Amino acid sequence: NFSRDSTLYHLEASNASIFLRNSQWLDWWSAYGGHQHVKLISLVYWTTGHETPISFEIINGLVWSSSIILLYKSSKLIFNNSIVSAISVLFFFQPSILMSSAQLLRDPFFILGICFMFYGWAILKKNKNNSGIIFILIGSIIFYIINYFFDIYKLARRKYLD
């Protein structure tokens, strides 16, 4: 049973995949600006030819496992202890995290962005080289693309300034 947001994203992705089937690239690109991850979902629907949420699980699985690997590597750099690193990965087996990684929500991408930034900061702190900046930038780009931060900002602004 998918959440209300997941159902909305599925409908938006189905509509956006119509633009792709009709080669209306600009319409596809400009559709659903507030939900950028819908474009990725619609690409999967278009390439597989199946407009079912289960077809997106390949992407969700890659995002979820990448987050686990980045968190493990970050905690291993910070704590230098494999047991602590393995325990920190248990975060991803919480029911709310596990469920959001199995739906069409933005949360897995948000968590992946955080994990990229954590890993970048861990590299900067522990290795004292600038390669961590690349991971911080990747995480920041993910944040920007999915507009998660801006939605929170708009919500807070609306609540306190209106």
Side-chain angles (χ1 to χ4, degrees):
N1 197 6
F2 282 97
S3 69
R4 204 174 300 165
D5 287 341
S6 184
T7 303
L8 172 69
Y9 299 148
H10 168 65
L11 293 174
E12 289 178 353
S14 293
N15 291 336
S17 67
I18 293 170
F19 292 134
L20 293 172
R21 279 196 303 273
N22 296 333
S23 299
Q24 296 170 323
W25 305 105
L26 292 176
D27 292 333
W28 172 78
W29 186 254
S30 61
Y32 308 110
H35 304 144
Q36 293 297 323
H37 71 295
V38 167
K39 290 178 179 50
L40 183 58
I41 297 169
S42 66
L43 274 174
V44 171
Y45 285 179
W46 178 61
T47 55
T48 62
H50 299 287
E51 291 184 1
T52 58
I54 196 72
S55 61
F56 191 67
E57 285 309 306
I58 296 166
I59 303 297
N60 269 343
L62 289 172
V63 167
W64 187 74
S65 58
S66 298
S67 297
I68 289 175
I69 291 167
L70 287 168
L71 185 65
Y72 177 80
K73 292 178 97 173
S74 300
S75 60
K76 193 164 182 167
L77 272 174
I78 293 169
F79 300 111
N80 201 18
N81 185 334
S82 295
I83 294 171
V84 173
S85 300
I87 291 171
S88 67
V89 170
L90 292 176
F91 166 76
F92 289 98
F93 293 101
Q94 291 182 40
S96 61
I97 301 295
L98 202 54
M99 283 182 61
S100 72
S101 68
Q103 296 184 8
L104 301 175
L105 305 177
R106 294 185 284 180
D107 299 3
F109 297 100
F110 175 73
I111 293 170
L112 180 64
I114 289 174
C115 289
F116 266 111
M117 287 192 268
F118 280 168
Y119 187 57
W121 284 111
I123 289 173
L124 285 176
K125 176 144 177 60
K126 205 67 169 178
N127 294 342
K128 306 283 190 215
N129 64 27
N130 294 333
S131 65
I133 293 172
I134 294 169
F135 289 97
I136 294 170
L137 286 174
I138 291 170
S140 300
I141 289 168
I142 291 171
F143 265 54
Y144 180 76
I145 288 173
I146 65 168
N147 289 327
Y148 198 86
F149 173 76
F150 297 112
D151 285 350
I152 293 171
Y153 170 75
K154 286 188 272 186
L155 179 67
R157 186 170 173 213
R158 187 178 321 133
K159 181 175 176 124
Y160 294 108
L161 295 179
D162 289 344

